[in-house]
Amino acid sequence: GDSVTQMEGPVTLSEEAFLTINCTYTATGYPSLFWYVQYPGEGLQLLLKATKADDKGSNKGFEATYRKETTSFHLEKGSVQVSDSAVYFCALSDSDDYKLSFGAGTTVTVRA
Amino acid sequence: DAGVTQSPTHLIKTRGQQVTLRCSPKSGHDTVSWYQQALGQGPQFIFQYYEEEERQRGNFPDRFSGHQFPNYSSELNVNALLLGDSALYLCASSPRGAYNEQFFGPGTRLTVL
């Protein structure tokens, strides 16, 4: 079945540091890939998405590229801020499926 | 434009009781999905409703049931509550024809004592 594996956290960074969160996936079809962010006490917000191989999703300084050859969708940001502290979830939706399958989440804390 | 709304925000129940959670989708969205998020874990898919019918179901027992109304709003019902049902329950809505673009509500925190 479909599955998503994320880099384990927690991750603690200083402001302006570079952030990478690794995500790999297993899918039977041609999935769409997503990154969601969850701030404390809130629901999930869609951060970015990519629907086919080599697509790059980007939003708010975050980027992720859909790599079919390595089945990966790593999230990156060049310079993090304290406001980026949150839990980040990688997710996929397979081509013959209606649901989202999520990774376990990576907690990121950015210190001033 | 209001986003996805859920009620109540928090709920405390005891084992064996029944609970109903409610969700209103974003304007223009016709598909509603429900997820369970246990503490420290990623959301797990419960089911999805479209055109007032359950279109897909995840690996959850029959104690979990749902309904979608003609105005696209939805309810999640859980019977015979167990301690393990304590979780954040998230509702997500999708626009017509884009079922995998899911916009989430703030969730209902259910605590079972």
Side-chain angles (χ1 to χ4, degrees):
Chain A
D2 299 338
S3 67
V4 175
T5 302
Q6 277 184 247
M7 181 175 96
E8 286 191 18
V11 175
T12 303
L13 303 164
S14 296
E15 223 169 9
E16 299 183 5
F18 185 87
L19 171 67
T20 298
I21 304 176
N22 290 340
C23 171
T24 57
Y25 68 89
T26 302
T28 55
Y30 302 92
S32 295
L33 302 175
F34 306 84
W35 277 101
Y36 280 84
V37 59
Q38 187 173 36
Y39 298 101
E42 298 185 11
L44 277 69
Q45 298 177 25
L46 178 63
L47 184 57
L48 54 83
K49 68 176 184 180
T51 58
K52 61 183 186 298
D54 300 325
D55 269 1
K56 177 185 283 189
S58 61
N59 186 26
K60 299 180 181 179
F62 289 90
E63 293 183 340
T65 301
Y66 188 146
R67 300 288 188 198
K68 186 178 179 183
E69 64 275 15
T70 55
T71 62
S72 66
F73 192 55
H74 305 322
L75 183 68
E76 297 181 336
K77 186 175 185 182
S79 177
V80 294
Q81 306 299 312
V82 172
S83 57
D84 294 324
S85 298
V87 182
Y88 293 82
F89 292 95
C90 185
L92 71 81
S93 176
D94 213 339
S95 52
D96 58 352
D97 208 353
Y98 296 109
K99 71 177 185 292
L100 289 172
S101 298
F102 286 87
T106 303
T107 300
V108 173
T109 301
V110 181
R111 301 173 306 192
Chain B
D1 178 25
V4 179
T5 60
Q6 292 186 243
S7 63
T9 305
H10 296 88
L11 204 50
I12 298 175
K13 293 285 188 179
T14 56
R15 281 178 297 176
Q17 285 189 310
Q18 178 265 343
V19 68
T20 297
L21 311 181
R22 296 176 176 82
C23 171
S24 293
K26 274 176 69 75
S27 177
H29 289 193
D30 63 357
T31 301
V32 173
S33 304
W34 286 92
Y35 292 81
Q36 180 194 66
Q37 185 180 16
L39 200 60
Q41 298 183 24
Q44 298 292 316
F45 176 75
I46 303 175
F47 39 56
Q48 185 179 92
Y49 275 84
Y50 172 70
E51 292 189 340
E52 303 179 50
E53 300 219 347
E54 183 184 287
R55 176 154 72 176
Q56 184 177 358
R57 188 180 184 89
N59 190 24
F60 279 80
D62 292 345
R63 298 187 296 109
F64 290 77
S65 63
H67 189 76
Q68 186 178 35
F69 298 94
N71 66 352
Y72 308 122
S73 67
S74 177
E75 288 182 349
L76 164 65
N77 300 291
V78 187
N79 293 323
L81 285 167
L82 305 174
L83 295 179
D85 295 332
S86 295
L88 181 68
Y89 287 85
L90 295 165
C91 170
S93 70
S94 306
R96 186 179 301 274
Y99 56 81
N100 65 3
E101 283 193 30
Q102 299 189 14
F103 296 80
F104 285 80
T108 294
R109 172 73 61 187
L110 173 64
T111 301
V112 182
L113 302 176

